[in-house]
Amino acid sequence: NIFFIIFLFLVQGCTSSIEVAANLGKKYVIPKKEQKIIEKPIYKIGKKYNVDGKYYYPKKDLYYNKTGIASWYGPKFHGKLTANGEIYNQYALTAAHKTLRLPSAVKVTNLKNNKSLVLRINDRGPFVNDRIIDLSSKAADILSLKNSGTGLVRVKLMRSESILLEKLAKRGQFPEVDELKKMVNPPIKKPSNINVKVLNIN
């Protein structure tokens, strides 16, 4: 049937549009075959590895500060394991980096609009055209990189936060960015009202 063939063609042609719609916030349903994935996060630096003929050398770098192109990844990876054993959540403030230890905390600044955001590195990548970081879907939204797909950013390692993440990870704790901020900068408690009696001594 010619109409059925035309229908299949149109459906295939709309695949990219459907994916864009999902990227803009449509909730992704994890397939049943992937729901049995067990999350076993670990602290990890890792050994050198090869992707498409190029070697990468993970290391502990507390002074990382580079400018380059950022991209983002979302629905196709949502619910799958990251390089350090966590389950990727496109709605969390995380990112992928080729060499920084897992986990690390970095400040990413979109150099086009000066929007900044602290992210937790828990995955490896990106491996396309020398891009330096792959943002989660939510991070790309906040930094206004979603529509363009990529953008020029500065990535600076947050030293104190990264050291704390390492200590916690070695204890089996992997806090998200919001929890980490509270640990590094705990709220200042207001002093309770204390009634002071003034003695009048003559």
Side-chain angles (χ1 to χ4, degrees), residues 44-110:
K44 178 180 180 181
I45 295 179
K47 300 178 180 179
K48 73 173 183 178
Y49 61 97
N50 184 306
V51 176
D52 294 331
K54 184 174 181 179
Y55 280 97
Y56 299 94
Y57 301 84
K59 62 179 180 179
K60 184 175 180 177
D61 184 357
L62 294 177
Y63 300 95
Y64 185 90
N65 188 351
K66 289 188 178 181
T67 297
I69 300 298
S71 52
W72 66 277
Y73 64 130
K76 288 183 179 180
F77 299 89
H78 185 75
K80 296 183 179 180
L81 289 177
T82 64
N84 77 328
E86 295 182 37
I87 294 177
Y88 175 62
N89 179 359
Q90 65 174 334
Y91 305 111
L93 296 178
T94 60
H97 191 277
K98 292 187 282 284
T99 60
L100 289 176
R101 60 185 178 170
L102 310 175
S104 291
V106 295
K107 181 179 181 181
V108 181
T109 303
N110 183 343

Side-chain angles (χ1 to χ4, degrees), residues 23-36:
N23 285 346
L24 294 176
K26 185 176 180 180
K27 188 173 181 181
Y28 179 82
V29 179
I30 302 174
K32 289 184 178 180
K33 64 180 180 179
E34 294 181 14
Q35 289 179 1
K36 295 181 181 179

